[in-house]
């Protein structure tokens, strides 16, 4: 351990110093010595450890009555292992000698007062604070890493507040302490010492906008907790009570990692000698926190809640769709939450409005909803109805311009855990739809992309979705859980697979079987007609090329092989410059465990069954999945969306702890 500071001795007068427990102090025995002194000897009283540091190639350790030479590089280091009970209750004596056998020419005395000062947090990530003398001021990723974790206090635990807890400089409820990380200040020593020496807790100006610290003062009332650090509060002189050996603090995060914030913050405590002008800092202890990232959950995680909106339009209500969702949720043992029209203002696209995720520290898990910047009818729903006790909220607003379709969160997905070329992504990778590289097309807003990138633990991948009218990744891809060793499959919409299926049915003699059979409000078109429709063929070929480009990116960035991909039959038609699903888009499904709520495609009926449904069942049910086809034609498909666009699922968090990975 490197010495923290040096204390100079004098034979003329005793020296008094404070020695912090566990911290070595260099004693200067060379600067002021009696005339003629050539050697010295040193001793310490009980409770003081005295060490002599020297280079054994240049200095020989004395034996018998021999002394340490003053003309060589020989240092004296002292330390204490417990706090003093009284001022100056320990001492170190240094005797100076001229001749080897002669009497001492003089001596110096150092009176020591031991102070136990330490700032401790959950460095070991066990959920409890333990005293540590190791490295507390750096933060390390990985299973052998260390460093404390901080949650952004973004829920709202008190009904008396309209804002997230992080906006309040006063504690609104004792429950809020559970969202904060504990921190303990050890401050043992003689009470008289702390009359002339102060403990100062502080942080940097930049960190003050990202961290709040509350001091606990023993009781169980709100008044016993006072915010001592935070915005505009950079330092705090600790109010130590007589006989107090420990003071507890609670630390909250105020900001998520972002483009201008790596997520690391530090707090410092200093022991300051106030008897001099200016005051002198004798010792500083530092602890580091990393703010927990916001984490998305993929379809492979078990569902807990299914959200859907009740709406009304020219075709009537979507009550039948709600009934189908209720039945599906019941099968999956998942709670159904219906957002009423008064709250959604007839905006049915609840997937586009928000994305569920979570944050986690060793002592606490907190679901957090990410509110998209689209700000349509559902804009108030996440803040007013989801933000609450133990349910956090975060958003990013677009300040310079309005949101585009690609800023909706149907354009945001996450893969299951993957490994790519020896690099593991135990929490998967975020998928964002964008324009074709360097094409200058539509993109998700930079402020959202920066936020997602800054979380570090789910490194985003940009895909090409701007070829679609709505422009969302959920229009051509979906992940489903499987019961085999791989654990999941990537489903991709496939015009080629659809045309191949229709060609097979034609060759089997079913060319007159019609798409949209059974729908009153849409003209039917036979397999034969679709296969000779040059525009439909051309449009689907264009869509296939766009999907194939994404296929290669997904294989490369997620480490997938062709065996991991399932091609789901789907045709697209182009209107203007963008593509739309020709019939209900089956990959745009809701995944509730092994139960899949799939848009009913209304494909050609062959032997009393929809050939598209039969094909999808044959692809997915051998993987342990259950396909439930649901009519969303009028309520969603005709409005350029499907089941996934009109639902949202909150899922269980990963069992894997994010701090154990190495991004």
């Amino acid at each position: 351990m490197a010495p923290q500071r040096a204390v100079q001795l004098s034979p003329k007068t005793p020296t008094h110093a404070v020695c912090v427990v566990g911290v070595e102090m260099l004693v200067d025995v060379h600067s002021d010595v009696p005339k003629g002194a050539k050697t010295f000897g040193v001793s310490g009283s009980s409770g003081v450890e005295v060490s002599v540091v020297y280079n054994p190639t240049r200095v020989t350790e004395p034996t018998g009555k021999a002394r340490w030479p003053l003309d060589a590089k020989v240092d004296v280091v002292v330390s204490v292992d417990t706090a003093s009970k009284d001022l100056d209750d320990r001492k170190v004596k240094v005797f100076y000698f001229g001749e080897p056998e002669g009497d001492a020419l003089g001596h110096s005395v150092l009176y020591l007062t031991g102070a136990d000062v330490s700032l401790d947090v959950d460095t070991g990530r066990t959920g409890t604070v333990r005293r540590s003398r190791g490295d507390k001021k750096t933060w390390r990723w990985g299973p052998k890493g260390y460093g404390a974790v901080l949650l952004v206090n973004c829920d709202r635990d008190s009904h008396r507040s309209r804002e997230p807890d992080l906006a309040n400089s006063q504690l609104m409820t004792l429950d809020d302490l559970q969202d904060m990380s504990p921190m303990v200040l050890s401050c043992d020593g003689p009470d008289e010492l702390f009359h002339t020496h102060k403990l100062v807790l502080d942080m940097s100006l930049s960190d003050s906008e990202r961290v709040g610290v509350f001091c606990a003062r023993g009781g169980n009332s709100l008044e016993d907790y006072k915010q001592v650090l935070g915005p505009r509060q950079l330092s705090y002189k600790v109010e130590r009570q007589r006989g107090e050996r420990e003071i507890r603090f609670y630390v909250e995060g105020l900001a998520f990692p972002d483009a201008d914030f790596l997520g690391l913050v530090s707090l410092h405590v200093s022991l300051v000698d106030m008897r001099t002008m200016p005051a002198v800092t004798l010792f500083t202890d530092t602890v580091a926190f990393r703010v927990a990232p916001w984490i998305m959950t993929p379809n492979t995680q078990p569902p807990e809640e299914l959200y859907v909106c009740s709406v009304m339009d020219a075709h009537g209500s979507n009550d039948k769709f709600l009934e189908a969702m209720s039945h599906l949720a019941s099968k999956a043992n998942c709670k159904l939450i219906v957002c009423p029209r008064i709250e959604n203002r007839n905006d049915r696209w609840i997937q586009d409005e928000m994305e569920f995720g979570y944050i986690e520290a060793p002592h606490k898990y907190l679901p957090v909803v990410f509110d998209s910047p689209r700000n349509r009818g559902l804009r108030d729903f996440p803040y007013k109805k989801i933000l609450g006790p133990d349910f956090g909220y975060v958003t990013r607003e677009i300040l310079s311009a309005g949101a585009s379709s690609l800023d909706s969160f149907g354009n945001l997905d996450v893969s299951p855990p993957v490994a790519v070329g020896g690099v593991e992504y135990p929490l998967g990778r975020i998928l964002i739809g964008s324009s074709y590289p360097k094409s200058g097309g539509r993109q998700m807003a930079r402020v959202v992309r920066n936020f997602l990138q800054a979380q570090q633990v789910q490194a985003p991948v940009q895909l090409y979705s701007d070829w679609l009218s709505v422009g969302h990744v959920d229009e051509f891809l979906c992940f489903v859980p499987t019961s085999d060793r791989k654990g999941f499959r990537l489903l991709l919409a496939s015009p080629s697979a659809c045309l191949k299926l229709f060609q097979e049915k034609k060759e089997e003699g079913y060319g007159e079987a019609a798409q949209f059979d059974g729908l009153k409000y849409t003209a039917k078109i036979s397999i034969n007609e679709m296969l000779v429709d040059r525009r439909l063929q051309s449009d689907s070929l264009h869509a296939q090329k766009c999907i194939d480009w994404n296929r290669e990116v997904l294989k490369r960035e997620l480490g997938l092989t062709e065996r991991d991909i399932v091609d789901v039959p789907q045709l697209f038609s182009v209107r203007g410059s963008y593509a739309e699903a020709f019939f209900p888009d089956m990959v745009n499904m809701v995944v509730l465990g092994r139960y899949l709520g799939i848009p009913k495609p209304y494909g050609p009926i062959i032997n009393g069954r929809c050939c598209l449904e039969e094909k999808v069942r044959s692809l997915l049910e051998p993987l342990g999945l259950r396909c439930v086809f649901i009519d969303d034609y009028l309520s969603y498909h005709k409005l350029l969306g499907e089941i996934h666009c009109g639902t949202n699922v909150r899922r269980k968090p990963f069992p894997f702890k994010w701090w154990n990975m190495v991004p």
Side-chain angles (χ1 to χ4, degrees):
M1 181 185 298
Q4 297 298 300
R5 71 184 203 280
V7 176
Q8 182 177 328
L9 302 188
S10 171
K12 304 177 186 69
T13 181
T15 303
H16 302 263
V18 176
C19 188
V20 176
V21 171
V23 178
E24 294 179 343
M25 185 167 65
L26 179 65
V27 179
D28 181 357
V29 298
H30 300 277
S31 297
D32 190 355
V33 301
K35 187 176 181 180
K38 296 179 180 179
T39 63
F40 73 93
V42 61
S43 64
S45 65
S46 175
V48 181
E49 182 175 336
V50 179
S51 302
V52 178
V53 181
Y54 63 97
N55 185 342
T57 63
R58 297 183 178 182
V59 178
T60 302
E61 182 175 356
T63 58
K65 293 184 178 181
R67 311 296 181 186
W68 293 100
L70 279 168
D71 60 353
K73 180 61 176 174
V74 177
D75 292 326
V76 175
V77 175
V78 299
S79 63
V80 298
D81 56 8
T82 60
S84 294
K85 294 182 179 179
D86 300 296
L87 291 176
D88 299 335
D89 63 355
R90 298 163 193 186
K91 64 182 177 180
V92 175
K93 280 189 176 183
V94 179
F95 291 89
Y96 296 94
F97 301 89
E99 299 302 325
E101 301 295 329
D103 294 332
L105 299 178
H107 71 275
S108 299
V109 179
L110 171 63
Y111 287 100
L112 291 175
T113 301
D116 188 6
V117 178
S118 180
L119 194 61
D120 290 285
V121 291
D122 182 17
T123 306
R125 303 170 188 164
T126 62
T128 58
V129 177
R130 290 186 173 89
R131 181 71 178 262
S132 172
R133 298 200 188 280
D135 184 4
K136 297 183 283 188
K137 62 184 179 181
T138 57
W139 203 97
R140 293 284 183 266
W141 294 89
K144 295 183 179 180
Y146 50 86
V149 176
L150 202 58
L151 295 178
V152 176
N153 196 6
C154 58
D155 67 339
R156 183 172 57 203
D157 285 317
S158 173
H159 66 276
R160 296 183 292 120
S161 176
R162 293 185 177 182
E163 298 179 300
D165 293 334
L166 57 82
N168 299 315
S169 60
Q170 293 181 327
L171 199 67
M172 303 298 288
T173 170
L174 294 178
D175 292 338
D176 198 22
L177 296 174
Q178 303 303 314
D179 302 333
M180 303 185 194
S181 296
M183 181 171 71
V184 177
L185 171 60
S186 300
C187 52
D188 195 8
D191 291 328
E192 294 79 8
L193 173 68
F194 295 100
H195 294 161
T196 56
H197 295 69
K198 296 298 182 184
L199 292 166
V200 179
L201 196 66
D202 72 278
M203 60 183 172
S204 68
L205 176 62
S206 59
D207 283 353
S208 71
E209 300 297 322
R210 298 157 179 167
V211 180
V213 180
F214 286 80
C215 182
R217 272 311 176 196
N220 290 318
S221 66
L222 295 177
E223 292 73 22
D224 292 316
Y225 297 87
K226 179 178 73 171
Q227 189 178 66
V228 295
L229 293 181
R232 299 174 298 280
Q233 294 175 282
L234 302 185
S235 67
Y236 166 64
K237 286 187 179 180
V238 178
E239 299 171 358
R240 179 187 180 275
Q241 305 299 319
R242 189 172 184 84
E244 198 167 26
R245 295 182 176 181
E246 282 189 352
I247 301 174
R248 293 188 68 83
F249 295 87
Y250 292 88
V251 188
E252 63 176 350
L254 304 180
F256 279 94
D258 215 322
D260 60 348
F261 175 38
L262 294 175
L264 288 172
V265 295
S266 296
L267 296 174
H268 319 276
V269 68
S270 298
L271 180 64
V272 182
D273 187 346
M274 308 298 290
R275 296 172 298 179
T276 61
M277 290 294 291
V280 175
T281 298
L282 304 181
F283 168 74
T284 298
D285 204 11
T286 299
V287 294
F289 291 92
R290 182 176 290 278
V291 176
W294 180 79
I295 300 172
M296 285 181 66
T297 50
N299 287 347
T300 48
Q301 288 302 111
E304 293 194 308
E305 295 174 336
L306 171 64
Y307 288 74
V308 65
C309 292
S310 171
V311 294
M312 180 78 72
D313 55 30
H315 302 289
S317 73
N318 66 337
D319 287 349
K320 288 187 177 179
F321 181 79
L322 297 180
E323 290 175 13
M325 288 295 106
S326 177
H327 182 65
L328 183 69
S330 178
K331 282 179 174 288
N333 195 28
C334 177
K335 181 181 179 181
L336 177 68
I337 297 176
V338 178
C339 174
R341 285 191 288 276
I342 194 172
E343 294 174 3
N344 64 51
R345 293 183 288 187
N346 231 36
D347 180 3
R348 69 199 69 207
W349 309 116
I350 196 165
Q351 176 60 52
D352 288 343
E353 181 59 37
M354 61 190 188
E355 184 67 51
F356 287 113
Y358 69 95
I359 57 178
E360 188 173 22
H363 69 282
K364 182 72 181 280
Y365 148 79
L366 189 72
V368 176
V369 63
F370 186 10
D371 190 0
S372 82
R374 71 188 280 268
N375 290 341
R376 289 166 62 178
L378 278 160
R379 65 187 177 194
D380 295 329
F381 180 71
Y383 191 85
K384 290 185 175 180
K385 296 299 177 179
I386 295 180
L387 170 63
D390 285 342
F391 213 125
Y393 172 92
V394 65
T395 191
R396 288 295 180 269
E397 294 291 342
I398 303 172
L399 301 178
S400 58
S404 77
S405 177
L406 271 67
D407 296 315
S408 297
F409 286 171
N411 193 35
L412 179 63
D413 208 335
V414 63
S415 79
V418 293
V420 186
V423 178
E424 293 188 358
Y425 298 91
L427 301 173
R429 299 190 70 178
I430 285 173
L431 307 177
I432 301 169
S434 188
S435 58
Y436 191 78
K438 301 181 181 180
S439 69
R442 296 174 296 173
Q443 289 189 323
M444 182 176 282
R446 182 177 296 276
V447 67
V448 178
R449 287 184 283 130
N450 285 347
F451 173 83
L452 296 170
Q453 183 74 45
Q455 307 313 303
Q456 295 194 64
V457 295
Q458 295 177 303
V461 177
Q462 290 204 40
L463 299 176
Y464 173 35
S465 65
D466 191 32
W467 60 277
L468 289 153
S469 179
V470 175
H472 293 179
V473 293
D474 66 356
E475 297 177 77
F476 65 88
L477 68 81
C478 176
F479 292 94
V480 294
T482 58
S483 55
D484 58 6
R485 183 176 179 180
K486 182 67 179 181
F488 72 90
R489 292 292 187 278
L490 167 64
L491 309 187
L492 288 178
S494 176
S496 295
C498 190
L499 293 174
K500 179 182 178 183
L501 174 66
F502 285 169
Q503 183 64 38
E504 290 172 354
K505 296 307 174 185
K506 175 186 176 180
E507 292 172 1
E508 292 170 7
Y510 300 110
E512 292 305 313
Q515 182 69 38
F516 307 122
D517 196 2
L519 279 174
K520 305 179 222 178
Y521 20 75
T522 300
K524 293 186 281 187
I525 178 172
S526 70
I527 289 177
N528 288 334
E529 291 171 320
M530 288 188 286
L531 289 175
V532 296
D533 186 328
R534 291 186 178 181
R535 181 171 179 178
L536 183 59
Q537 295 271 330
S538 174
D539 291 351
S540 291
L541 178 61
H542 167 71
Q544 188 64 61
K545 288 182 179 179
C546 296
I547 294 169
D548 285 345
W549 188 91
N550 285 296
R551 186 190 201 98
E552 294 308 309
V553 173
L554 289 161
K555 285 164 64 177
R556 180 177 69 248
E557 298 296 335
L558 301 184
L560 304 179
T561 68
E562 284 297 322
R563 292 191 302 272
D564 304 321
I565 301 172
V566 176
D567 292 306
V568 176
Q570 185 65 49
L571 296 183
F572 292 86
S573 59
V574 175
R575 293 189 182 184
S577 302
Y578 300 104
E580 301 170 1
F582 180 64
F583 55 78
D585 189 351
M586 290 186 285
V587 297
N588 195 300
M589 65 179 72
V590 63
V591 180
L592 302 180
R594 65 192 185 100
Y595 291 94
L596 312 180
I598 305 174
K600 187 174 179 62
Y602 287 100
I605 304 299
I606 296 173
N607 297 325
R609 295 180 179 271
C610 169
C611 67
L612 289 172
E613 291 184 17
E614 289 300 291
K615 180 62 176 179
V616 171
R617 283 196 175 96
S618 72
L619 293 170
L620 301 183
E621 293 195 345
L623 299 173
L625 300 166
R626 294 293 176 265
C627 300
V628 180
F629 291 92
I630 297 169
D631 178 14
D632 75 341
Y633 194 86
L634 288 179
S635 296
Y636 296 89
H637 172 72
K638 292 296 285 182
L639 301 174
L640 303 185
E642 308 287 358
I643 292 177
H644 185 260
C645 309
T647 58
N648 211 313
V649 182
R650 183 170 74 85
R651 303 181 184 277
K652 290 184 178 180
F654 286 100
F656 181 86
K657 306 306 178 186
W658 62 266
W659 51 84
N660 286 329
M661 70 177 290
V662 180

